């Protein structure tokens, strides 16, 4: 079945929004209210909350404040250190992820703890020691001989490593300050190499490296600031490559290449042609599904006793599949692809033969008929479960409704217990029967009608994502309906999601959250018309959006 | 447990420090206690110490507390594992934590009991299970205590034994962390006892006896931190208020590091009990790692490297399967949380809460084992043991589990106070009062209290 015309018209081009209490489930278009205390977002704005969504102007348009200090996420940190030093994959430098934030919106609000600061310091000195420990290696990486006397090597490092670390050229003050570090340490320890080591370690601890500084350039009197030059290049680099801008990108930014729409487009196209864009794809999908969190999730299953050892492979399979899918074509295929990249650890979860597979070598395999798309990947299905041995149709459905389709779902009314009755050994019930309470009680049903049917469509997959046709010995009914689209099972659900009119604008919204660190509970008006069908179109949609390029002084 | 007393030279040289070494303030090993062990010989009182020991998913609210009230309590079934230290543990039962029930209780509970406030919701936090978007509005009790007690070499110890509850990665911090400096400013816990040992005890003191001159590494670090401070000062001018606050927190951390490098940290007032703790766990079990964190904390207190600790045995909701007591091969294996929901007050839950109580007991025993004068380290410490909800099977907030160990400003003999319907926040306030904190009140909104539990105070 295809999306029927009336559903399309009724929904228009907008995300589904559930009102307070969800009475009348399909209610209108998302609106951004200028009044922070009202609107459809379920909670008054707390002005003291640093992660609040952006204010709204009198015209209803978002007025995000400058992003300011953006900590690197753990993975961005490790890649950035390597790229600042220009390391190759063969370099066995002791660079590991450091920091506390795994997703961009947290990294934009979180403070560095004292203990984390020590870790940054230790990591920077360990890396710098590694760089200078071998004279040949040091000359290759630094472009000069660290044992030479005088300031010429340090000055050169500031032009190369320093510029990449700060993502811009250093100011005169900064140059003087850091040359002072190199020379004073060299003098006191009577070792030029020690001076260079301190300089390299220091640049990697500067706030100008640990934070991406995005304050923008003020326009005359409007209160608007625009991200330009190297700041805009930095935004692009972390969004599209998941790392710091390289020298060519900084050169282009300094030459004004990003100042025009055409120039920006050309630079984005060049960046998308670079293999590093796979990292950008990977980070986007990783943050969208928050899939890294599987790291410390426990699930118990008699057939998969090694789940906790397989988690890493499941995440890798999930992300490698996502990247391969995005590289090949349509954005929506993330939710309908017929192929996963699997290794020997992952295949059994999919019911695929292990023959010919090895651990940690991921190869493309066609999926069994009961699966389609990333929502049927065991990494997702295991992460969005409830207890260690139970699925959660509500969590899975809520994820799809909110995160993938940008629907707004208010909290259960105060005083309502959200704990479902438990199945008893003498009277087993399927999840559908347990959740029937949600449908019987009109207070629950008004919201859960938009959540549970999606999750129940995935009930053929258990708490580790293995396929099943029964639960507690009872047959599973995975059929359902979503905005008029009737489906029989997870594959039908995959088609409903792939064709959902809210999907493309919602994925664009999620990409803006990552790229611009603006929290967006639902699709803002600025992105309501966004219909990217590929990674390239998504990238351009974000890069050209005012939400990515403009902010407003608070 | 035997402990080798710390030879001065060994300490000064430090043990092997991987990567970069940081010096720690030199404990005053020559300082002797007065005859009672209550003060240093020169009359300076020994600093008080404070620890939070937290576990997830509560207790059995109807029966965890002793039957009789008053000093010399007889343990209930739940508290039986700590009968041996009952003399040193105060029990406050009957209280209710006044949470609003607006969000998930596993988020509201820890914020309520440890921060004295409701978690801060954002418009993203639209569902009861949107804990990943919730943070706390202010500092947790350990941070308040650290401000009050002062920072010798390290502000505090923050450690966690079982994996965090962090099933999604939104910007919230309330479900995952037990220690917070403010909103979105969590203190991430050490998870590896050896890493914590190295941080606290892993470095020598440059320029101290037995060393051959200035430590070039410390010199380089000082020089780098100077420049970092310079960069931050220029950067600060370009930032809005919110980011200035974040950068100021960053600079607070820099200042701590500098004070240690300079030796300008408040001089530690170590007692003669100060010795190197064990660094290596005998095995990887939760029990052993908790024990090691306890021993390291005890010695960090005795050596006055820090005066505050926050140990999270299990995070809110406790998705730990408690593998020490339940077999991995059993199909019945599930988390402590799951069993509470699915099985009610069955044998698993009883054994689980007994096991958790015993781990709290291990922490108390480790402090008790450090002898100072004619008493123990516990005589000057306050340890708050509590959880995120009152009870696993009913997920309620009535009869909140509250254990307060130690005698720092507290009664000499462990007592049981039952105060039905009273605000549970009075117990965190009582801990702060015992430490000599003079703030007007603790907590905000429904959590705000001004009156400590008088029976507990010395």
């Amino acid at each position: 079945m295809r999306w029927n015309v009336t559903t399309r018209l009724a929904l228009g081009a907008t995300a589904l929004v559930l009102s307070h209490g969800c009475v009348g489930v399909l209610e209108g278009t998302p609106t951004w209210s200028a009044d922070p205390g009202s609107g459809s977002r379920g909670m008054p704005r707390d002005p003291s909350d640093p992660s609040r969504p952006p204010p709204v102007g009198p015209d209803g348009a978002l007025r995000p404040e400058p992003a300011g200090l953006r900590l690197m996420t753990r993975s961005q940190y490790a890649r950035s250190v390597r790229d600042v030093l220009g390391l190759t994959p063969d370099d066995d430098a002791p660079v590991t992820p450091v920091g506390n934030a795994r997703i961009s919106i947290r990294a934009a609000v979180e403070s560095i703890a004292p203990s984390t600061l020590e870790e940054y310091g230790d990591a920077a000195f360990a890396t710098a020691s590694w760089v200078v420990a071998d004279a040949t290696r040091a000359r290759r990486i630094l472009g000069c001989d660290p044992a030479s006397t005088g300031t010429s090597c340090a000055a050169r490092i500031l032009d190369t490593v320093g510029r990449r670390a700060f993502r811009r050229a250093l100011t005169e003050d900064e140059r003087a300050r850091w040359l002072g570090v190199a020379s004073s340490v060299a003098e006191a320890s009577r070792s030029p190499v020690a001076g260079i080591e301190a300089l390299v370690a220091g640049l990697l601890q500067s706030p100008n490296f640990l934070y991406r500084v995005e304050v923008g350039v003020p326009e005359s009197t409007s209160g608007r600031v625009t991200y330009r030059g190297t700041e805009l290049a930095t935004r692009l680099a972390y969004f599209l490559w998941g790392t710091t801008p390289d020298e060519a990108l900084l050169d282009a930014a300094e030459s004004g290449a990003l100042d025009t729409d055409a120039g920006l487009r050309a630079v984005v196209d060049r960046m998308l042609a670079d293999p590093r864009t796979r990292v950008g794809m990977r980070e986007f999908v990783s943050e969208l599904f928050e899939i890294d969190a599987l790291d410390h999730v426990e699930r118990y299953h008699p057939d998969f006793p090694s789940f906790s050892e397989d988690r890493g492979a499941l995440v890798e399979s999930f992300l490698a599949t996502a990247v391969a899918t995005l590289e090949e074509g349509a954005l929506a295929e993330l939710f309908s692809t017929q192929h996963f990249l699997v290794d020997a650890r992952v295949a059994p979860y999919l019911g695929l033969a292990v023959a010919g597979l090895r651990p940690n070598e991921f190869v493309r395999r066609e999926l069994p008929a009961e699966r389609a798309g990333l929502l049927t990947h065991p990494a997702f299905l295991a992460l969005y479960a409830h207890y260690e041995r139970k699925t959660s149709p509500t969590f899975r459905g809520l994820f799809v409704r909110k995160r993938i389709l940008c629907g707004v779902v208010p909290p259960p009314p105060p005083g309502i217990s959200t704990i479902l009755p438990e199945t008893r050994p003498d009277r087993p019930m399927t999840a559908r029967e347990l959740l029937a309470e949600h449908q019987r009680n009109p207070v629950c049903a008004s919201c859960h009608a938009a959540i549970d049917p999606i999750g129940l469509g995935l009930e053929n997959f258990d708490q580790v994502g293995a396929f099943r046709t029964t639960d507690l010995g009872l047959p599973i009914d995975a059929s359902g309906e979503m905005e008029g689209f009737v489906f029989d099972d997870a594959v039908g659900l995959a088609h409903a999601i792939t064709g959902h009119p809210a999907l493309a604008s919602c994925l664009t919204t999620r990409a803006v959250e990552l790229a611009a660190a603006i929290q967006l509970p639902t699709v803002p008006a600025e992105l309501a018309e966004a219909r990217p069908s590929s990674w390239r179109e998504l990238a351009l949609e974000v890069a050209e959006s005012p939400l990515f390029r403009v902010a407003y002084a608070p | 447990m035997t402990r080798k007393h710390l030879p001065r030279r060994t300490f000064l040289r430090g043990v092997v420090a991987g990567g970069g070494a940081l010096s720690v303030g030199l404990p005053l090993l020559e300082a002797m206690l007065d005859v009672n062990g209550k003060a240093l010989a020169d009359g300076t009182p020994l600093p008080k110490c404070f620890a939070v020991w937290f576990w997830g998913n509560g207790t059995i609210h109807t029966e965890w507390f002793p039957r009789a009230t008053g000093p010399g309590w007889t343990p209930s079934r739940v508290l039986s594992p700590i009968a041996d230290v009952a003399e040193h543990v105060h029990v406050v039962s009957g209280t209710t934590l006044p949470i609003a029930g607006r969000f998930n209780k596993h988020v509201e509970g820890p914020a309520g009991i440890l921060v004295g406030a409701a978690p801060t919701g954002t418009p993203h936090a639209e569902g009861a299970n949107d804990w990943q978007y919730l943070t706390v509005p202010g500092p947790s009790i350990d941070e308040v205590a650290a401000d009050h007690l002062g920072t010798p070499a390290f502000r505090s110890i923050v450690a966690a034994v079982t994996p965090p509850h962090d099933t999604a990665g939104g910007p919230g911090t309330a479900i995952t962390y037990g220690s917070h400096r403010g909103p979105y400013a969590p203190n991430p816990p050490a998870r590896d006892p050896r890493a914590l040992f190295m941080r606290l005890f892993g470095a020598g003191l440059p320029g101290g006896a037995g060393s051959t001159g200035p430590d070039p590494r410390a010199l380089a670090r000082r020089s780098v931190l100077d420049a970092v401070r310079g960069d931050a000062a220029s950067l600060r001018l370009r930032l809005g208020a919110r980011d200035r606050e974040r950068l100021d927190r960053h600079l607070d951390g820099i200042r701590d590091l500098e004070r240690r490098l300079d030796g300008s940290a408040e001089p530690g007032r170590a007692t003669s009990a100060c010795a190197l703790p064990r660094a290596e766990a005998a095995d990887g079990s939760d029990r052993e790692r908790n024990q090691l964190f306890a021993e390291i904390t005890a010695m960090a207190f005795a050596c006055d490297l820090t005066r505050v600790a926050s140990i999270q045995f299990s995070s809110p909701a406790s998705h730990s399967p408690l593998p020490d007591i339940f077999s991995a091969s059993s199909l019945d294996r599930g988390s402590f949380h799951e069993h509470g929901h699915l099985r009610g007050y069955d044998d698993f839950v009883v054994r689980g809460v007994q096991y958790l109580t015993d781990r709290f007991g291990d922490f108390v025993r480790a402090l008790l084992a450090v002898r100072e004068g004619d008493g123990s380290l516990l005589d000057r410490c306050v340890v708050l043991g509590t959880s995120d909800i009152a009870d696993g099977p009913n997920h309620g907030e009535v009869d909140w589990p509250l254990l307060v160990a130690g005698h720092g400003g507290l009664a000499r003999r462990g007592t049981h106070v039952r105060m039905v319907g009273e605000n549970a926040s009075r117990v965190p306030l009582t801990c702060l009062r015992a430490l000599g904190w003079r703030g007007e009140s603790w907590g905000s909104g429904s959590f705000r209290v001004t009156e400590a539990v008088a029976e507990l105070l010395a």
Side-chain angles (χ1 to χ4, degrees):
Chain A
M1 173 182 167
R2 304 298 308 166
W3 276 87
N4 69 50
V5 175
T6 45
T7 306
R8 244 178 227 285
L9 290 175
L11 276 169
T14 61
L16 179 73
V17 172
L18 310 171
S19 72
H20 251 318
C22 295
V23 179
V25 169
L26 305 178
E27 192 182 85
T29 52
T31 51
W32 289 85
S33 167
D35 171 10
S38 69
S40 58
R41 283 167 286 164
M43 198 71 64
R45 257 183 3 109
D46 174 358
S48 70
D49 184 344
S51 82
R52 64 193 187 277
V56 180
D59 56 352
L62 293 184
R63 296 170 66 89
E65 293 171 16
L69 298 183
R70 297 180 64 179
L71 273 169
M72 290 181 279
T73 62
R74 288 170 62 80
S75 60
Q76 287 171 351
Y77 170 84
R79 275 193 299 275
S80 297
V81 170
R82 295 191 74 93
D83 291 344
V84 159
L85 296 171
L87 304 185
T88 69
D90 293 335
D91 281 317
D92 59 348
V95 179
T96 52
V98 180
N100 207 32
R102 295 195 298 195
I103 71 161
S104 297
I105 50 174
R106 182 189 278 189
V109 294
E110 195 167 300
S111 299
I112 301 178
S115 61
T116 308
L117 200 63
E118 289 176 37
E119 288 172 29
Y120 281 129
D122 289 346
F125 271 100
T127 300
S129 299
W130 177 88
V131 170
V132 299
D134 179 287
T136 312
R137 177 163 69 209
R139 274 195 299 276
R140 169 172 60 88
I141 289 170
L142 303 175
C144 55
D145 181 1
S148 62
T149 53
T151 58
S152 65
C153 187
R156 189 192 154 80
I157 289 169
L158 291 180
D159 290 338
T160 54
V161 174
R163 180 173 176 240
R164 291 193 297 261
F166 285 26
R167 309 170 188 100
R168 58 172 171 79
L170 276 66
T171 65
E172 282 310 311
D173 277 358
E174 288 162 346
R175 289 182 69 83
R177 185 150 55 231
W178 288 105
L179 285 175
V181 169
S183 58
S184 67
V185 173
E187 199 175 310
S189 58
R190 297 195 191 86
S191 160
V193 175
I196 296 300
E197 180 186 358
L199 173 61
V200 172
L203 292 170
L204 297 178
Q205 291 175 68
S206 170
N208 292 304
F209 172 65
L210 294 179
Y211 304 100
R212 304 154 51 183
V213 181
E214 298 179 355
V215 297
V217 179
E219 293 180 357
S220 50
T221 55
S222 59
R224 269 168 54 120
V225 300
T226 46
Y227 300 108
R228 308 174 79 90
T230 53
E231 280 191 359
L232 190 53
T234 299
R235 294 198 136 201
L236 288 170
Y238 279 93
F239 169 41
L240 295 176
W241 291 345
T243 189
T244 203
D246 62 10
E247 288 189 356
L249 183 55
L250 291 174
D251 289 345
E254 285 171 357
S255 73
L258 299 174
D259 291 351
T260 63
D261 287 356
L264 175 70
R265 217 177 164 86
V267 167
V268 168
D269 267 327
R270 279 212 301 278
M271 293 178 75
L272 291 171
D274 188 293
R276 278 173 288 188
T277 198
R278 288 192 203 116
V279 179
M281 295 171 180
R282 192 181 161 98
E283 292 276 289
F284 169 65
V285 174
S286 178
E287 290 204 13
L288 179 67
F289 287 86
E290 296 167 357
I291 204 75
D292 276 3
L294 194 69
D295 280 357
H296 37 241
V297 158
E298 296 280 2
R299 297 287 178 256
Y300 307 111
H301 194 299
D303 299 338
F304 298 93
S306 63
F307 177 80
S308 60
E309 288 119 65
D310 299 337
R311 289 180 301 212
L314 290 168
V315 169
E316 182 56 35
S317 164
F318 185 90
L319 292 173
T321 297
V323 170
T325 307
L326 287 174
E327 274 190 299
E328 275 169 26
L331 202 52
E333 273 180 40
L334 287 174
F335 301 95
S336 64
T337 178
Q338 289 297 311
H339 297 88
F340 285 174
L341 288 163
V342 304
D343 76 342
R345 283 184 177 278
V346 173
Y349 291 84
L350 297 166
L352 292 173
V354 179
L357 293 172
R358 294 149 57 103
N360 301 319
E361 286 179 17
F362 291 85
V363 296
R364 191 177 137 102
R365 283 282 190 272
E366 186 166 356
L367 290 177
E370 65 268 14
R371 292 184 198 252
L374 289 177
L375 294 177
T376 65
H377 193 288
F380 167 79
L381 293 161
L383 181 57
Y384 292 88
H386 196 191
Y387 305 126
E388 289 70 12
R389 285 176 287 140
K390 274 177 69 178
T391 63
S392 173
T394 300
F395 284 3
R396 289 171 176 177
L398 201 56
F399 175 84
V400 171
R401 179 60 76 194
K402 290 177 63 175
R403 192 87 190 131
I404 302 295
L405 300 176
C406 292
V408 173
V409 183
I416 294 277
S417 168
T418 56
I419 298 171
L420 286 168
E422 297 297 347
T423 182
R424 297 202 315 265
D426 58 330
R427 193 188 170 281
M429 290 195 283
T430 62
R432 184 177 292 274
E433 290 175 275
L434 287 169
L435 288 169
E437 176 62 21
H438 283 165
Q439 308 302 335
R440 271 196 297 273
N441 180 335
V443 176
C444 301
S446 61
C447 292
H448 280 275
I451 303 168
D452 294 350
I454 302 172
L456 289 169
L458 296 168
E459 265 297 281
N460 280 129
F461 304 101
D462 64 22
Q463 71 276 22
V464 298
F467 181 70
R468 61 181 183 180
T469 53
T470 61
D471 181 17
L472 303 172
L474 303 168
I476 290 170
D477 171 8
S479 67
E481 186 192 325
M482 187 182 181
E483 283 89 86
F485 189 109
V486 177
F487 56 84
D488 294 331
D489 54 20
V491 174
L493 175 66
H495 288 133
I497 290 167
T498 307
H500 200 289
L503 179 66
S505 59
C506 185
L507 293 180
T508 313
T509 301
R510 298 298 169 228
V512 168
E513 282 190 304
L514 177 153
I518 305 171
Q519 282 200 55
L520 299 167
T522 188
V523 178
E526 287 82 349
L527 302 174
E529 302 304 319
R531 291 291 177 280
S533 67
S534 65
W535 172 249
R536 177 177 178 275
E537 289 179 20
L538 177 75
L540 285 168
E541 197 73 63
V542 172
E544 294 178 345
S545 166
L547 295 175
F548 184 70
R549 292 197 284 176
V550 179
Y552 294 83
Chain B
M1 179 175 55
T2 59
R3 244 189 225 98
K4 193 172 56 127
H5 275 259
L6 175 65
R8 182 183 172 90
R9 290 174 66 91
T10 304
F11 188 83
L12 293 173
R13 286 193 196 126
V15 290
V16 183
L22 280 175
S23 62
V24 297
L26 173 65
L28 300 177
L29 297 182
E30 63 272 39
M32 296 299 291
L33 297 174
D34 70 6
V35 283
N36 299 320
K38 298 295 178 289
L40 296 172
D42 65 2
T44 319
L46 289 171
K48 285 181 178 159
C49 35
F50 175 66
V52 171
W53 195 93
F54 181 94
W55 76 94
N57 219 49
T59 183
I60 298 173
H61 77 288
T62 50
E63 64 161 278
W64 69 277
F65 46 87
R67 285 257 171 260
T69 58
W73 50 273
T74 305
S76 61
R77 183 162 65 142
V78 171
L79 297 184
S80 60
I82 56 167
D84 60 320
V85 291
E87 277 293 291
H88 307 287
V89 177
H90 311 283
V91 179
V92 181
S93 68
T95 67
T96 295
L97 189 70
I99 61 170
R102 181 181 181 192
F103 301 112
N104 188 289
K105 290 182 175 180
H106 296 296
V107 187
E108 290 183 281
I113 198 67
L114 297 179
V115 181
T120 302
T122 76
H124 283 254
E126 290 144 350
N129 289 316
D130 273 358
W131 45 55
Q132 68 267 36
Y133 287 109
L134 299 171
T135 188
V136 295
S140 51
I141 185 170
D142 55 309
E143 281 287 319
V144 174
D147 278 339
H148 168 68
L149 295 172
T151 298
F154 293 88
R155 183 167 172 80
S156 66
I157 288 172
V158 181
V161 177
T162 67
H165 188 294
D166 190 13
T167 53
T173 55
I175 187 76
T176 312
Y177 301 98
S179 176
H180 307 260
R181 282 161 298 141
Y184 303 104
N187 289 312
R191 297 190 178 278
D192 173 10
R194 181 171 175 80
L196 179 66
F197 172 89
M198 292 304 292
R199 178 167 181 244
L200 295 166
F201 294 97
L205 186 70
S211 127
T212 53
D215 178 348
R217 197 179 286 277
L219 187 133
R221 286 195 177 238
R222 263 198 294 271
S223 183
V224 162
L225 293 181
D226 270 350
V228 165
R229 184 187 291 290
D231 277 3
S234 320
L235 179 57
R236 200 173 186 283
L237 302 174
R238 304 168 61 206
L239 301 174
R242 182 190 81 182
D243 285 325
R244 285 186 181 190
E245 198 173 311
R246 295 170 71 211
L247 196 60
D248 288 346
R249 288 209 174 97
H250 187 148
L251 289 170
D252 287 346
I254 300 272
R255 210 155 11 251
D256 282 358
L257 287 171
E258 282 179 334
R259 289 185 314 132
R260 263 145 60 197
L261 289 167
D262 297 348
S264 65
E266 182 180 334
R269 285 180 259 158
T271 70
S272 54
C274 172
L276 276 186
R278 287 189 300 151
E280 298 290 346
D283 57 56
S285 69
D286 293 344
R287 185 196 313 261
E288 172 68 2
R289 288 168 58 245
N290 178 63
Q291 178 68 31
L292 218 50
F293 281 136
E295 291 176 18
I296 291 169
T297 300
M299 273 307 154
F301 287 169
C303 300
D304 201 21
L305 293 173
T306 188
R307 294 163 189 170
V308 172
S310 171
I311 311 291
Q312 191 188 63
F313 182 84
S314 48
S315 69
S318 188
H319 284 273
S320 168
L322 305 185
D324 288 351
I325 47 171
F326 298 106
S327 151
S329 60
S330 162
L331 280 187
D332 271 348
R333 187 182 174 204
S335 74
F336 183 53
H337 180 255
E338 176 181 11
H339 271 260
H341 274 310
L342 297 183
R343 305 283 177 84
Y345 306 96
D346 72 351
D347 181 56
F348 182 103
V349 168
V350 173
R351 285 169 66 202
V353 295
Q354 286 176 336
Y355 164 84
L356 291 162
T357 304
D358 203 17
R359 302 290 74 71
F360 171 77
D362 285 347
F363 190 83
V364 173
R365 289 175 199 113
L367 300 190
L368 195 59
V370 177
R371 306 311 297 175
E372 289 183 347
D374 58 5
S376 82
L377 175 63
L378 197 57
D379 292 342
R380 57 187 174 99
C381 286
V382 175
V383 182
L384 171 63
T386 193
S387 190
D388 58 329
I389 54 174
D391 178 289
N394 86 348
H395 271 53
E397 54 274 5
V398 173
D399 220 318
W400 201 265
L402 290 160
L403 302 169
V404 183
H407 309 290
L410 294 168
R412 288 298 310 164
R413 190 161 177 226
T415 189
H416 170 211
V417 179
R418 183 149 183 85
M419 29 189 247
V420 174
E422 285 293 314
N423 190 333
S425 295
R426 288 180 61 193
V427 173
L429 174 67
T430 305
C431 293
L432 289 172
R433 287 275 182 263
L435 300 171
W437 184 76
R438 296 186 195 284
E440 188 192 331
S441 61
W442 162 257
S444 60
S446 61
F447 301 97
R448 184 175 182 275
V449 287
T450 56
E451 199 185 338
V453 183
E455 297 93 322
L456 258 53
L457 292 173

